[in-house]
Amino acid sequence: MKVKPQATERRVLPNVEFRVERAEGKQPRIVGHAAVFNVLSPMLWGFREKIAPGAFKKTLKDGADVRALFNHDSNFVLGRNTAKTLSLTEDETGLAIENDPPDTTWARDLLVSMERGDVNQMSFAFRPIKSTWEIINEYTEDEEVLVTRTEVA
């Protein structure tokens, strides 16, 4: 039986830290976390989800070609791991990023908007590879379906 590949999904998680770092004599960088582990999402189509530690491990190890895009638009590439302008690592918090954006008008505008606090969230796109589904608080008014993403690409 052929397994149908999962569609790409997008998420914005609350309170995900990211910022612009400026060092004297160097180009500005975007650093922070694209995703955090063990944080429940808001309600999504009848379920909540969290990302388990290690969920990105295989994809990172396999050397997937990952791009950081502004507003998920492939016309606005902020960085790419294969070009060494985007670094992705799993740490105890989640998926850490270090991004060297291009010296373009739109990227400089984005950095200014981030520093002013106008742009204060980062989202990420992924394909679920392995997940567990469970009902928590079953048979109570707080019953919820919880999806734990254990591997994503």
Side-chain angles (χ1 to χ4, degrees):
M1 177 172 89
K2 219 174 193 180
V3 177
K4 181 180 174 187
Q6 292 287 319
T8 299
E9 300 187 20
R10 296 178 185 167
R11 298 290 186 270
V12 176
L13 298 174
N15 305 317
V16 175
E17 173 262 341
F18 82 118
R19 67 190 178 285
V20 176
E21 277 188 357
R22 293 188 184 268
E24 194 171 324
K26 293 190 175 188
Q27 290 290 97
R29 306 181 90 196
I30 299 170
V31 299
H33 287 86
V36 293
F37 298 136
N38 296 318
V39 173
L40 284 176
S41 71
M43 187 61 77
L44 305 164
W45 309 283
F47 66 90
R48 295 179 70 178
E49 86 184 340
K50 67 180 179 178
I51 305 211
F56 301 98
K57 191 179 209 172
K58 183 176 184 319
T59 297
L60 294 174
K61 181 182 167 215
D62 290 350
D65 182 12
V66 179
R67 296 173 296 160
L69 306 175
F70 178 59
N71 283 335
H72 297 271
D73 187 333
S74 60
N75 293 302
F76 298 103
V77 179
L78 288 162
R80 192 175 201 149
N81 67 330
T82 57
K84 309 243 185 291
T85 55
L86 173 65
S87 171
L88 302 161
T89 55
E90 269 199 17
D91 64 16
E92 65 281 346
T93 301
L95 183 62
I97 68 138
E98 292 184 4
N99 180 215
D100 300 319
D103 187 17
T104 60
T105 303
W106 63 266
R108 288 190 303 272
D109 291 347
L110 172 62
L111 296 173
V112 168
S113 293
M114 288 175 64
E115 290 172 323
R116 288 170 32 128
D118 299 328
V119 175
N120 63 4
Q121 290 180 305
M122 183 186 312
S123 59
F124 71 103
F126 68 97
R127 283 183 304 108
I129 304 297
K130 293 180 183 173
S131 303
T132 61
W133 293 71
E134 64 183 299
I135 297 173
I136 56 174
N137 301 320
E138 194 168 14
Y139 306 117
T140 72
E141 61 184 48
D142 296 324
E143 181 176 293
E144 291 182 333
V145 175
L146 172 63
V147 179
T148 302
R149 304 297 185 184
T150 56
E151 184 182 337
V152 297

